[in-house]
Amino acid sequence: LGTLDFSLLYDQENNALHCTINKAKGLKPMDHNGLADPYVKLHLLPGASKANKLRTKTLRNTLNPTWNETLTYYGITDEDMIRKTLRISVCDEDKFRHNEFIGETRIPLKKLKPNQTKNFNICLEKQLPIDKTEDKSLEERGRILISLKYSSQKQGLLVGIIRCAHLAAMDANGYSDPYVKTYLKPDEDKKSKHKTAVKKKTLNPEFNEEFCYEIKHSDLAKKTLEVTVWDYDIGKSNDFIGGVVLGINAKGERLKHWFDCLKNKDKKIERWHTLTNELPGAVLSD
Protein backbone atom coordinates (compact mmCIF):
# COMPACT_ATOMS: atom_id res chain seq x y z
CA LEU A 1 0.00 0.00 0.00
CA GLY A 2 3.04 2.26 0.34
CA THR A 3 4.81 4.12 3.14
CA LEU A 4 4.10 7.46 4.81
CA ASP A 5 6.67 9.86 6.24
CA PHE A 6 5.37 12.33 8.87
CA SER A 7 6.27 13.92 12.21
CA LEU A 8 4.29 14.80 15.33
CA LEU A 9 4.92 17.45 17.98
CA TYR A 10 2.88 18.10 21.12
CA ASP A 11 3.37 21.72 22.21
CA GLN A 12 2.37 21.35 25.83
CA GLU A 13 2.30 25.01 26.80
CA ASN A 14 -0.03 25.95 23.95
CA ASN A 15 -2.07 22.73 24.03
CA ALA A 16 -1.43 22.12 20.34
CA LEU A 17 -0.65 18.95 18.40
CA HIS A 18 1.26 19.68 15.17
CA CYS A 19 1.13 16.95 12.51
CA THR A 20 3.55 17.50 9.63
CA ILE A 21 2.74 15.28 6.66
CA ASN A 22 5.92 15.07 4.59
CA LYS A 23 5.52 12.52 1.83
CA ALA A 24 4.38 9.06 0.77
CA LYS A 25 6.14 6.50 -1.40
CA GLY A 26 4.93 3.60 -3.51
CA LEU A 27 1.19 4.16 -3.04
CA LYS A 28 -1.21 1.67 -4.56
CA PRO A 29 -2.43 2.77 -8.04
CA MET A 30 -6.12 3.72 -7.82
CA ASP A 31 -6.96 5.19 -11.21
CA HIS A 32 -7.10 3.82 -14.79
CA ASN A 33 -3.85 5.61 -15.61
CA GLY A 34 -2.04 3.55 -12.96
CA LEU A 35 -1.68 6.60 -10.69
CA ALA A 36 -3.66 8.21 -7.85
CA ASP A 37 -4.75 11.65 -6.59
CA PRO A 38 -3.74 11.26 -2.95
CA TYR A 39 -4.52 13.35 0.11
CA VAL A 40 -4.06 12.64 3.83
CA LYS A 41 -6.83 12.79 6.39
CA LEU A 42 -6.39 12.99 10.18
CA HIS A 43 -8.91 11.92 12.78
CA LEU A 44 -8.56 11.82 16.57
CA LEU A 45 -10.02 8.71 18.19
CA PRO A 46 -12.15 8.34 20.19
CA GLY A 47 -14.28 11.10 18.72
CA ALA A 48 -16.76 10.93 15.90
CA SER A 49 -17.47 14.51 14.99
CA LYS A 50 -16.53 16.00 11.64
CA ALA A 51 -14.93 18.79 13.60
CA ASN A 52 -11.90 16.75 14.59
CA LYS A 53 -10.97 15.77 11.03
CA LEU A 54 -8.20 17.65 9.25
CA ARG A 55 -6.89 17.06 5.73
CA THR A 56 -4.06 18.02 3.42
CA LYS A 57 -4.46 19.26 -0.12
CA THR A 58 -4.82 16.72 -2.91
CA LEU A 59 -1.87 16.07 -5.24
CA ARG A 60 -2.72 14.90 -8.77
CA ASN A 61 -1.43 11.87 -10.68
CA THR A 62 1.28 10.54 -8.39
CA LEU A 63 2.15 7.50 -6.32
CA ASN A 64 5.00 9.38 -4.58
CA PRO A 65 3.41 12.60 -3.31
CA THR A 66 5.27 15.26 -1.30
CA TRP A 67 2.94 17.45 0.77
CA ASN A 68 5.18 19.13 3.39
CA GLU A 69 2.02 20.35 5.08
CA THR A 70 1.46 20.91 8.81
CA LEU A 71 -2.02 20.35 10.24
CA THR A 72 -2.67 21.42 13.84
CA TYR A 73 -5.17 20.38 16.49
CA TYR A 74 -5.74 23.07 19.12
CA GLY A 75 -7.09 22.54 22.62
CA ILE A 76 -5.30 19.23 23.17
CA THR A 77 -4.80 18.44 26.86
CA ASP A 78 -2.37 16.17 28.70
CA GLU A 79 -5.38 13.93 29.34
CA ASP A 80 -5.97 13.60 25.57
CA MET A 81 -2.32 12.67 25.09
CA ILE A 82 -2.80 9.72 27.42
CA ARG A 83 -6.04 8.38 26.01
CA LYS A 84 -6.28 9.36 22.37
CA THR A 85 -5.02 7.85 19.13
CA LEU A 86 -4.29 9.73 15.93
CA ARG A 87 -5.57 7.97 12.86
CA ILE A 88 -3.84 8.98 9.63
CA SER A 89 -5.40 7.79 6.38
CA VAL A 90 -4.22 8.24 2.83
CA CYS A 91 -7.09 8.47 0.33
CA ASP A 92 -7.54 8.93 -3.39
CA GLU A 93 -9.73 11.85 -4.45
CA ASP A 94 -12.29 11.05 -7.14
CA LYS A 95 -14.26 13.67 -8.99
CA PHE A 96 -17.17 11.43 -9.90
CA ARG A 97 -17.27 8.71 -7.27
CA HIS A 98 -16.64 8.43 -3.57
CA ASN A 99 -13.07 9.13 -2.53
CA GLU A 100 -11.26 5.83 -2.10
CA PHE A 101 -9.27 4.65 0.86
CA ILE A 102 -5.63 3.67 0.15
CA GLY A 103 -4.17 2.88 3.58
CA GLU A 104 -3.90 4.08 7.17
CA THR A 105 -1.78 4.05 10.28
CA ARG A 106 -2.60 4.77 13.94
CA ILE A 107 -0.39 6.40 16.54
CA PRO A 108 -1.36 6.30 20.24
CA LEU A 109 -0.48 9.82 21.41
CA LYS A 110 1.06 8.50 24.61
CA LYS A 111 4.06 7.52 22.45
CA LEU A 112 4.98 11.20 22.17
CA LYS A 113 7.06 13.12 24.69
CA PRO A 114 5.89 16.72 25.24
CA ASN A 115 7.78 19.36 23.21
CA GLN A 116 9.83 16.77 21.29
CA THR A 117 9.29 16.20 17.58
CA LYS A 118 8.98 12.52 16.72
CA ASN A 119 9.53 11.38 13.13
CA PHE A 120 7.75 8.40 11.62
CA ASN A 121 8.15 6.47 8.39
CA ILE A 122 5.50 3.78 8.43
CA CYS A 123 4.04 1.17 6.10
CA LEU A 124 0.35 1.85 5.52
CA GLU A 125 -2.13 -0.83 6.55
CA LYS A 126 -5.55 -1.68 5.25
CA GLN A 127 -8.57 -0.15 6.94
CA LEU A 128 -8.90 -1.02 10.61
CA PRO A 129 -12.37 -1.11 12.12
CA ILE A 130 -13.40 1.86 14.26
CA ASP A 131 -14.79 0.83 17.62
CA LYS A 132 -18.45 1.81 17.40
CA THR A 133 -19.21 0.78 20.96
CA GLU A 134 -17.86 4.04 22.40
CA ASP A 135 -20.21 5.41 25.00
CA LYS A 136 -22.50 7.78 23.12
CA SER A 137 -23.21 9.91 26.19
CA LEU A 138 -19.60 10.99 26.25
CA GLU A 139 -19.45 11.80 22.57
CA GLU A 140 -17.23 14.80 22.18
CA ARG A 141 -18.70 18.03 20.95
CA GLY A 142 -15.60 20.22 20.85
CA ARG A 143 -13.34 22.08 23.27
CA ILE A 144 -13.55 25.18 25.42
CA LEU A 145 -10.79 27.32 26.93
CA ILE A 146 -11.84 28.65 30.34
CA SER A 147 -9.93 30.84 32.80
CA LEU A 148 -10.69 30.92 36.53
CA LYS A 149 -9.45 33.38 39.12
CA TYR A 150 -10.57 34.12 42.64
CA SER A 151 -10.11 37.87 43.11
CA SER A 152 -9.66 38.99 46.72
CA GLN A 153 -10.06 42.59 45.58
CA LYS A 154 -13.47 41.93 44.02
CA GLN A 155 -14.35 39.24 46.56
CA GLY A 156 -15.47 37.02 43.74
CA LEU A 157 -14.79 34.33 41.16
CA LEU A 158 -13.83 35.63 37.72
CA VAL A 159 -14.79 33.21 34.97
CA GLY A 160 -13.24 33.86 31.57
CA ILE A 161 -14.78 32.30 28.47
CA ILE A 162 -11.91 32.63 26.04
CA ARG A 163 -12.60 30.49 23.00
CA CYS A 164 -13.87 27.17 21.68
CA ALA A 165 -12.24 24.82 19.20
CA HIS A 166 -13.75 22.34 16.70
CA LEU A 167 -17.33 22.54 17.94
CA ALA A 168 -19.94 20.15 16.59
CA ALA A 169 -21.81 21.65 13.61
CA MET A 170 -25.51 22.22 14.27
CA ASP A 171 -26.66 24.08 11.17
CA ALA A 172 -27.27 22.86 7.64
CA ASN A 173 -24.41 25.02 6.36
CA GLY A 174 -21.95 22.89 8.34
CA TYR A 175 -21.38 25.58 10.99
CA SER A 176 -22.93 26.79 14.21
CA ASP A 177 -23.69 30.23 15.68
CA PRO A 178 -22.26 29.56 19.11
CA TYR A 179 -22.58 31.34 22.44
CA VAL A 180 -21.72 30.23 25.96
CA LYS A 181 -23.73 30.26 29.19
CA THR A 182 -22.40 29.92 32.72
CA TYR A 183 -24.17 29.10 36.00
CA LEU A 184 -22.75 28.84 39.49
CA LYS A 185 -24.78 26.13 41.24
CA PRO A 186 -26.59 25.49 43.52
CA ASP A 187 -28.45 28.60 42.46
CA GLU A 188 -31.89 28.82 44.05
CA ASP A 189 -33.05 32.10 42.57
CA LYS A 190 -31.49 31.55 39.11
CA LYS A 191 -29.48 34.76 39.40
CA SER A 192 -26.14 33.32 38.36
CA LYS A 193 -26.73 33.01 34.61
CA HIS A 194 -24.26 34.81 32.35
CA LYS A 195 -24.19 34.69 28.56
CA THR A 196 -21.58 35.63 26.00
CA ALA A 197 -22.33 37.29 22.69
CA VAL A 198 -23.26 35.03 19.75
CA LYS A 199 -20.51 34.42 17.17
CA LYS A 200 -21.87 33.83 13.68
CA LYS A 201 -21.09 30.85 11.46
CA THR A 202 -18.01 29.36 13.12
CA LEU A 203 -16.83 26.19 14.86
CA ASN A 204 -13.83 28.00 16.40
CA PRO A 205 -15.30 31.09 18.06
CA GLU A 206 -13.28 33.56 20.13
CA PHE A 207 -15.25 35.19 22.94
CA ASN A 208 -12.75 36.73 25.37
CA GLU A 209 -15.49 37.62 27.88
CA GLU A 210 -15.21 37.58 31.66
CA PHE A 211 -17.96 37.24 34.26
CA CYS A 212 -17.71 37.94 38.00
CA TYR A 213 -19.54 35.95 40.67
CA GLU A 214 -19.46 37.70 44.05
CA ILE A 215 -18.91 34.96 46.59
CA LYS A 216 -16.83 34.35 49.70
CA HIS A 217 -13.75 32.26 49.01
CA SER A 218 -14.80 29.80 51.70
CA ASP A 219 -18.18 29.21 49.96
CA LEU A 220 -16.59 28.37 46.63
CA ALA A 221 -15.75 24.80 47.59
CA LYS A 222 -19.47 24.02 47.85
CA LYS A 223 -20.27 25.35 44.38
CA THR A 224 -20.01 23.93 40.89
CA LEU A 225 -19.62 25.93 37.69
CA GLU A 226 -21.71 24.75 34.79
CA VAL A 227 -20.60 25.93 31.36
CA THR A 228 -22.74 25.13 28.33
CA VAL A 229 -22.28 25.98 24.65
CA TRP A 230 -25.31 26.62 22.47
CA ASP A 231 -26.08 27.22 18.81
CA TYR A 232 -28.25 30.30 18.37
CA ASP A 233 -31.25 29.88 16.05
CA ILE A 234 -33.67 32.60 15.03
CA GLY A 235 -37.32 31.73 15.51
CA LYS A 236 -36.80 28.31 17.05
CA SER A 237 -35.22 26.96 20.17
CA ASN A 238 -31.45 27.05 20.40
CA ASP A 239 -29.50 23.78 20.07
CA PHE A 240 -27.35 22.46 22.87
CA ILE A 241 -23.83 21.76 21.56
CA GLY A 242 -22.07 20.55 24.70
CA GLY A 243 -21.03 21.39 28.21
CA VAL A 244 -18.62 20.90 31.06
CA VAL A 245 -18.98 21.08 34.84
CA LEU A 246 -16.11 22.27 37.02
CA GLY A 247 -16.13 21.80 40.77
CA ILE A 248 -15.23 19.72 43.73
CA ASN A 249 -17.28 16.74 42.49
CA ALA A 250 -15.76 16.75 39.02
CA LYS A 251 -12.92 14.46 37.91
CA GLY A 252 -9.61 14.72 36.09
CA GLU A 253 -8.73 18.06 34.50
CA ARG A 254 -12.07 19.56 35.58
CA LEU A 255 -11.40 18.91 39.25
CA LYS A 256 -7.76 19.93 39.01
CA HIS A 257 -8.66 23.28 37.39
CA TRP A 258 -11.16 24.09 40.16
CA PHE A 259 -8.76 23.01 42.86
CA ASP A 260 -5.88 25.06 41.41
CA CYS A 261 -8.15 28.10 41.36
CA LEU A 262 -9.18 27.66 45.02
CA LYS A 263 -5.58 27.12 46.06
CA ASN A 264 -4.05 30.09 44.20
CA LYS A 265 -5.97 33.27 45.02
CA ASP A 266 -5.55 36.14 42.55
CA LYS A 267 -3.89 33.93 39.98
CA LYS A 268 -5.59 33.44 36.63
CA ILE A 269 -5.55 29.79 35.55
CA GLU A 270 -6.48 28.82 31.99
CA ARG A 271 -7.34 25.28 30.89
CA TRP A 272 -8.89 23.57 27.90
CA HIS A 273 -11.81 21.25 28.63
CA THR A 274 -13.64 18.71 26.51
CA LEU A 275 -17.33 19.39 25.93
CA THR A 276 -19.61 16.37 26.17
CA ASN A 277 -23.26 16.12 25.29
CA GLU A 278 -24.40 15.13 28.75
CA LEU A 279 -24.40 17.19 31.91
CA PRO A 280 -25.44 15.93 35.33
CA GLY A 281 -28.72 17.63 36.24
CA ALA A 282 -28.28 20.43 33.74
CA VAL A 283 -31.18 22.49 32.45
CA LEU A 284 -30.97 21.68 28.77
CA SER A 285 -33.31 24.33 27.54
CA ASP A 286 -32.58 27.90 26.82
Side-chain angles (χ1 to χ4, degrees):
L1 298 173
T3 60
L4 183 66
D5 178 318
F6 60 97
S7 67
L8 303 176
L9 169 63
Y10 174 48
D11 172 355
Q12 196 172 31
E13 194 189 346
N14 295 305
N15 293 100
L17 177 64
H18 301 290
C19 314
T20 302
I21 308 298
N22 299 317
K23 56 184 194 237
K25 270 198 177 131
L27 294 178
K28 188 171 119 189
M30 301 301 277
D31 299 337
H32 296 312
N33 60 8
L35 298 168
D37 301 320
Y39 66 94
V40 176
K41 189 168 74 176
L42 306 182
H43 189 174
L44 274 182
L45 304 172
S49 81
K50 280 197 185 76
N52 86 50
K53 289 186 180 146
L54 299 174
R55 61 164 284 179
T56 65
K57 55 185 180 292
T58 301
L59 296 177
R60 301 276 165 212
N61 297 328
T62 174
L63 300 180
N64 301 294
T66 298
W67 288 279
N68 290 336
E69 215 175 307
T70 298
L71 305 170
T72 301
Y73 282 106
Y74 296 99
I76 298 291
T77 61
D78 292 353
E79 204 174 349
D80 292 323
M81 296 302 294
I82 296 163
R83 65 185 192 93
K84 292 210 178 247
T85 294
L86 179 66
R87 175 181 186 226
I88 305 180
S89 335
V90 182
C91 302
D92 171 52
E93 187 173 300
D94 255 322
K95 278 208 178 72
F96 307 110
R97 299 196 306 271
H98 272 309
N99 294 342
E100 287 175 297
F101 174 85
I102 298 176
E104 70 164 66
T105 184
R106 293 189 186 188
I107 308 294
L109 296 182
K110 56 175 181 279
K111 286 189 171 173
L112 304 181
K113 290 197 178 75
N115 310 317
Q116 287 183 24
T117 300
K118 193 168 164 73
N119 297 303
F120 297 86
N121 195 351
I122 287 183
C123 292
L124 295 168
E125 300 170 68
K126 57 184 196 297
Q127 202 148 9
L128 299 160
I130 287 191
D131 182 11
K132 283 281 186 266
T133 58
E134 278 171 31
D135 181 4
K136 267 285 170 254
S137 73
L138 289 177
E139 186 196 335
E140 293 193 4
R141 312 303 294 264
R143 294 295 155 95
I144 186 163
L145 181 58
I146 298 173
S147 71
L148 297 177
K149 174 173 132 178
Y150 187 82
S151 161
S152 31
Q153 187 197 352
K154 291 192 174 161
Q155 291 289 301
L157 175 68
L158 298 178
V159 176
I161 301 299
I162 302 168
R163 65 194 308 166
C164 295
H166 37 265
L167 294 175
M170 292 286 156
D171 296 337
N173 63 11
Y175 292 100
S176 293
D177 300 319
Y179 66 95
V180 180
K181 270 195 320 186
T182 65
Y183 282 100
L184 197 60
K185 296 190 161 181
D187 174 28
E188 272 62 54
D189 42 10
K190 297 273 182 287
K191 285 227 171 80
S192 79
K193 177 164 119 175
H194 284 292
K195 263 186 187 184
T196 66
V198 174
K199 300 291 174 184
K200 290 282 181 203
K201 211 175 151 189
T202 174
L203 300 179
N204 298 288
E206 265 192 66
F207 296 102
N208 294 322
E209 292 190 40
E210 193 169 66
F211 307 124
C212 181
Y213 289 104
E214 282 180 29
I215 182 171
K216 291 210 287 281
H217 185 264
S218 55
D219 290 345
L220 214 47
K222 304 194 269 290
K223 295 281 192 180
T224 56
L225 179 71
E226 180 184 292
V227 179
T228 49
V229 184
W230 299 78
D231 168 46
Y232 175 76
D233 281 320
I234 296 171
K236 57 186 205 297
S237 66
N238 299 324
D239 299 315
F240 173 65
I241 296 178
V244 63
V245 176
L246 307 178
I248 216 79
N249 299 318
K251 292 189 173 67
E253 301 260 334
R254 302 183 300 285
L255 172 64
K256 195 171 176 314
H257 194 180
W258 191 252
F259 201 69
D260 288 349
C261 165
L262 292 182
K263 227 167 42 195
N264 300 286
K265 272 191 187 174
D266 296 310
K267 184 173 173 208
K268 182 186 273 195
I269 296 166
E270 284 186 12
R271 291 272 160 81
W272 282 96
H273 295 284
T274 302
L275 298 168
T276 59
N277 61 358
E278 219 167 73
L279 282 182
V283 191
L284 293 190
S285 63
D286 192 38

